[in-house]
Amino acid sequence: MNHLLFHPRLPRRGNPRGSTDRIEEFRYMGEVSEEGRNDGSKFLEAEGRDDARSDGVATSNDLRVLYPLRLDEGPTGDGDGRGPYVGVAIDVETTGLDHRRGKVIEMAIRRFRYDRQGVITDIDEAFQWREDPGEPLSPEIVSLTRLTDIDLVGEEIDEDGATRLLNSASFVVAHNAAFDRNWVEARLPGAKGLPWCCSMRQIDWRRRGFDGRALGYLLVQDGFYHNGHRASADVDALIQMLRHRDGDGTTALAEMVAMGARDSFVVRAKGAHFDMKDELRARGYRWDASDGMKVWWREVDRDDLVQERFWLAANVYAMEAKPASTGPLVERVTARERFR
């Protein structure tokens, strides 16, 4: 088994595992065999470090080993026995960003079991399908996914099998559910209306000591690397990050499930004047340009709804703000409607 060696260029604050050697930026320096020998790639000199060797070889204080992520099927060894609850992780690769115009070209699904504490106790078989979009892939998609037109010729997603897997779990999770859900429901009509969670938005990664929310970057900070932008690799990375424990021992999965179970509200600032766009954006609102909408919106927790109404009344719907409406549209959402 090979490992990757990386060189830390900038120190970072904090560490979810309690150590002080976390890395802000990585520079690839070759692979290391089981015997610990480099594959011949030249080590980079440790810049500005007192312990850098004169021969250009970084010392142990300058290196961090990242392990290839491999999630075996079966018990994880965590928790007490086989968990009674089932979740399912999903990722899709597509021909573009708009689910109404593009096609799914790769889909990966993997179920896992967890206990009452949110500990993943078992990981099921991994499923992955490719699908021929019936049109050439753009150079950008080929570069991103490393899939080619030849890889997809004649391939087809097992719609019945994928739908059964998604319906067999308590919830579906993706790392960017606002993207994946629309594509999945467009391709698998039998999977519409299921409860969804999002490991990117419903877990406070910064509180857990991580920088950023990109899946590959989270994984590297956790000590692993994977083949990013391939559906099956991203599903495994997602499951691995759900296993992360904070300082109190609470798993990321437990945090996400608790957030997903709470009702929230989508607040649409209907009639907001154009000049309010910067204030709305700074407040966390996003522009919905879909047909029939054309409105700024954000999702707020039920405990924050009253405060949000007061802010809108004082800013967006004040007379001097020249609104075209008397107030916002507010819609209650649950895990079954969220991320659409």
Side-chain angles (χ1 to χ4, degrees):
M1 179 178 68
N2 289 339
H3 314 310
L4 294 185
L5 281 178
F6 288 84
H7 179 275
R9 294 185 63 184
L10 299 172
R12 292 216 344 226
R13 301 183 298 275
N15 191 308
R17 293 176 179 258
S19 64
T20 58
D21 61 346
R22 291 180 61 203
I23 299 170
E24 178 71 25
E25 184 175 338
F26 303 101
R27 292 195 292 170
Y28 174 63
M29 302 201 308
E31 296 192 357
V32 178
S33 67
E34 291 283 5
E35 292 76 22
R37 298 184 61 84
N38 185 258
D39 67 353
S41 301
K42 182 178 176 59
F43 284 108
L44 299 176
E45 185 173 355
E47 300 174 357
R49 297 292 295 269
D50 293 336
D51 55 358
R53 287 173 44 170
S54 60
D55 59 3
V57 177
T59 68
S60 60
N61 290 331
D62 299 306
L63 301 177
R64 181 177 183 181
V65 177
L66 299 181
Y67 294 91
L69 179 64
R70 298 188 179 95
L71 292 186
D72 295 329
E73 180 182 345
T76 62
D78 297 329
D80 297 324
R82 186 175 174 85
Y85 308 108
V86 178
V88 60
I90 189 167
D91 186 78
V92 295
E93 302 299 332
T94 66
T95 59
L97 299 177
D98 189 344
H99 69 280
R100 292 163 296 192
R101 296 182 177 90
K103 303 286 182 63
V104 174
I105 56 175
E106 190 173 60
M107 178 182 292
I109 298 175
R110 195 165 195 180
R111 302 195 327 162
F112 55 89
R113 288 186 172 271
Y114 63 100
D115 62 20
R116 293 182 181 275
Q117 286 71 47
V119 175
I120 295 178
T121 62
D122 296 83
I123 300 174
D124 288 359
E125 179 183 357
F127 293 88
Q128 177 175 286
W129 304 274
R130 296 175 180 175
E131 184 151 274
D132 189 342
E135 59 190 37
L137 299 179
S138 69
E140 292 79 12
I141 296 301
V142 171
S143 176
L144 182 67
T145 66
R146 294 187 290 278
L147 290 171
T148 67
D149 295 331
I150 297 299
D151 295 328
L152 304 177
V153 170
E155 296 291 330
E156 185 176 0
I157 293 171
D158 180 358
E159 182 173 333
D160 290 340
T163 300
R164 284 196 301 271
L165 283 169
L166 295 180
N167 278 280
S168 69
S170 300
F171 64 88
V172 182
V173 56
H175 192 65
N176 184 6
F179 175 84
D180 291 84
R181 178 166 193 165
N182 286 325
W183 288 93
V184 171
E185 292 189 343
R187 180 60 187 85
L188 305 175
K192 288 184 177 180
L194 299 176
W196 277 70
C197 290
C198 181
S199 57
M200 183 176 73
R201 289 176 51 185
Q202 293 180 313
I203 298 169
D204 189 347
W205 292 110
R206 184 169 294 278
R207 183 188 64 80
R208 290 176 172 269
F210 290 89
D211 291 334
R213 299 187 299 175
L215 183 57
Y217 192 33
L218 292 172
L219 191 67
V220 164
Q221 293 174 80
D222 203 37
F224 299 93
Y225 68 93
H226 78 314
N227 183 17
H229 292 295
R230 292 300 302 275
S232 60
D234 284 346
V235 161
D236 283 358
L238 189 164
I239 294 173
Q240 176 63 26
M241 293 312 303
L242 291 179
R243 300 170 69 187
H244 181 267
R245 295 176 183 264
D246 64 14
D248 296 327
T250 303
T251 67
L253 173 61
E255 179 182 343
M256 184 189 72
V257 169
M259 286 295 297
R262 292 173 62 92
D263 291 350
S264 60
F265 295 84
V266 171
V267 180
R268 295 182 174 90
K270 179 184 178 183
H273 194 275
F274 177 80
D275 292 344
M276 292 300 301
K277 66 181 187 307
D278 293 336
E279 287 84 351
L280 286 164
R281 185 182 293 110
R283 182 75 175 177
Y285 282 77
R286 291 181 286 175
W287 178 248
D288 183 354
S290 60
D291 295 339
M293 297 303 294
K294 303 293 191 298
V295 67
W296 288 96
W297 71 278
R298 69 173 298 197
E299 184 176 344
V300 299
D301 189 79
R302 63 188 175 196
D303 295 337
D304 300 323
L305 180 59
V306 172
Q307 180 183 358
E308 195 64 24
R309 285 184 181 274
F310 276 119
W311 183 87
L312 288 168
N315 295 274
V316 176
Y317 296 106
M319 288 186 62
E320 58 269 23
K322 297 177 286 188
S325 180
T326 57
L329 298 176
V330 178
E331 177 187 2
R332 175 179 170 270
V333 294
T334 69
R336 292 187 179 275
E337 300 90 30
R338 199 171 286 132
F339 306 122
R340 282 178 169 166

